[in-house]
Amino acid sequence: MPNSVRAVTRMDAVQAPIIPVVGDIIRQVPGTISLGQGVVHYGPPAAAVDAVRSSLSEFAVHEYASGTGQPALVSRIAAKLAAENGIDTARGSAIMVTAGANMAFMHAVLAISEPGDEIILTVPFYFNHEMAIQMAGCRAVAVPTDANYRPDPGALARAITDRTRAIVTISPNNPTGAVFPETLLREVNALCRDRGLFHISDETYEYFTYGSARHLSPGSLPGAAGHTFSIYSMSKAYGMAGWRIGYVAYPADLTAAMLKIQDTVLICPTAVAERAAIAALDAGRPYCDPFVRELASIRQIVLDALGTLGSICDVPPAEGAMYCFPRVATSLDAMTLAERLIREHKVAVTPGTAFGMTDGCYFRVAFGALQRETVAEGIGRLVTGLRAICG
Ligand SMILES: Cc1ncc(COP(=O)(O)O)c(C=O)c1O
């Protein structure tokens, strides 16, 4: 008998991406409304599409280009980081354009770790962060948050060992919608500085805050440049998820490591997508703001509807991103609940277990893709389903 080429690999320990798993069940039940995937319902600014069209006749966009990112895009990003995030990249940071924020995170993990190192995530975590850490041969150390899904600096400090390399925060948060207060992010950033760790700050949802919640970039804090990764995405704010552009401001002394990773994994970002990104950044936040205002009212409809469920469903404050993360009073496990909601009520959510919440039944509601016409129907089905299954 020939030996099998199939061996145990590092990938066996990595969870399967949850979105396609839920997507498979959705496909079996036509007419399901998805509150599953974190996407927006709008596309990029017209100027971004025009920029791509007009660039196609230029030979340069068909060639390999700068691994860091096209100079025009990198300087546009530097200006945006200075003006909006308070990050002056002249004070010790470098910028790299990547094929999305997920890639920037993977680059960061590879650049700062050795196999066997530990990276601290707050739970619930973003599943792709856990997956990236495991793929790098490192260990994701999951530290619980409080009842409002805010990290506890004391618990983070107690989780630090000799192998810890970084603490990750996501604010505004996926999957909870929590926006971490400035004082908390200052504390986490100072903890990292004092203990010789990196702070990886995922700010994919920087523009998506509601009410009085405000976003802070920890990379803007005095002395943060040397140990802070600030990660951004064009996917949500500009409706450009398919174009695959994100960027990261990172400690400049890691440039050689970051370039090795980029050169091996991506070589350079997709040139036409970079052209789209320049035009989108020129359109800027004013392009995104009306959509965020619309999402604010959709979010309110979602929270009000879930509020009618009383003790069946507890919804901690969700003041940002495009998610809320209810805790359900049921003995069912989250995957069973999610599957029954699809099969019996034609509405899809993402089970909390994918985000590391194994103690109790939680799920994520994503409302970014909903428009006024579908929100009532989608959330109505969810409320009816939860009453029927858990009431
Ligand atoms: C916290 C967070 N980071 C990164 C990403 C991925 O962004 P990108 O499309 O830029 O890779 C997402 C997408 O849902 C996210 O929620």
Side-chain angles (χ1 to χ4, degrees), residues 4-286:
S4 167
V5 290
R6 177 72 178 85
V8 173
T9 74
R10 68 182 69 199
M11 299 312 298
D12 293 314
V14 176
Q15 69 163 312
I18 188 68
I19 300 297
V21 171
V22 173
D24 272 351
I25 309 173
I26 294 176
R27 264 187 299 283
Q28 295 165 30
V29 187
T32 297
I33 294 180
S34 177
L35 309 175
Q37 202 171 2
V39 288
V40 293
H41 67 78
Y42 55 90
V49 178
D50 290 345
V52 170
R53 271 204 202 93
S54 59
S55 73
L56 290 175
S57 57
E58 286 175 43
F59 189 67
V61 299
H62 306 292
E63 291 183 296
Y64 290 128
S66 161
T68 303
Q70 287 174 21
L73 177 55
V74 172
S75 60
R76 188 66 195 76
I77 289 169
K80 177 263 179 188
L81 289 172
E84 296 184 9
N85 303 93
I87 298 175
D88 175 0
T89 47
R91 286 189 310 202
S93 310
I95 293 170
M96 180 171 280
V97 180
T98 55
N102 266 13
M103 182 179 273
F105 183 81
M106 186 85 227
H107 281 19
V109 171
L110 291 171
I112 62 168
S113 67
E114 283 195 318
D117 281 346
E118 296 171 0
I119 295 186
I120 294 177
L121 300 180
T122 64
V123 189
F125 49 64
Y126 170 50
F127 41 78
N128 286 132
H129 284 172
E130 186 203 35
M131 293 161 76
I133 291 164
Q134 291 171 336
M135 285 179 204
C138 297
R139 202 164 79 80
V141 175
V143 174
T145 47
D146 69 13
N148 291 331
Y149 300 131
R150 288 177 175 174
D152 167 2
L156 293 173
R158 286 191 294 281
I160 296 170
T161 72
D162 290 347
R163 296 304 306 255
T164 308
R165 302 299 295 138
I167 298 176
V168 179
T169 57
I170 311 172
S171 181
N173 189 265
N174 177 11
T176 66
V179 180
F180 302 159
E182 181 174 330
T183 46
L184 181 55
L185 288 169
R186 281 180 184 275
E187 254 183 280
V188 174
N189 195 266
L191 174 67
C192 291
R193 183 197 59 217
D194 295 346
R195 302 292 293 269
L197 308 177
F198 291 99
H199 182 178
I200 305 180
S201 170
D202 183 327
E203 299 170 36
T204 291
Y205 300 96
E206 58 176 334
Y207 293 164
F208 296 84
T209 55
Y210 311 107
S212 59
R214 293 286 171 268
H215 163 255
L216 172 86
S217 297
S220 67
L221 298 171
H227 68 283
T228 307
F229 286 78
S230 308
I231 295 179
Y232 303 91
S233 171
M234 301 296 290
S235 296
K236 320 283 173 175
Y238 295 99
M240 288 176 55
W243 288 97
R244 307 309 305 133
I245 294 285
Y247 52 95
V248 54
Y250 65 94
D253 57 352
L254 292 172
T255 299
M258 290 288 280
L259 282 173
K260 287 182 199 173
I261 301 161
Q262 180 89 326
D263 192 62
T264 303
V265 179
L266 187 64
I267 299 186
C268 64
T270 302
V272 286
E274 291 187 281
R275 296 297 180 89
I278 295 170
L281 287 172
D282 284 342
R285 188 170 188 155

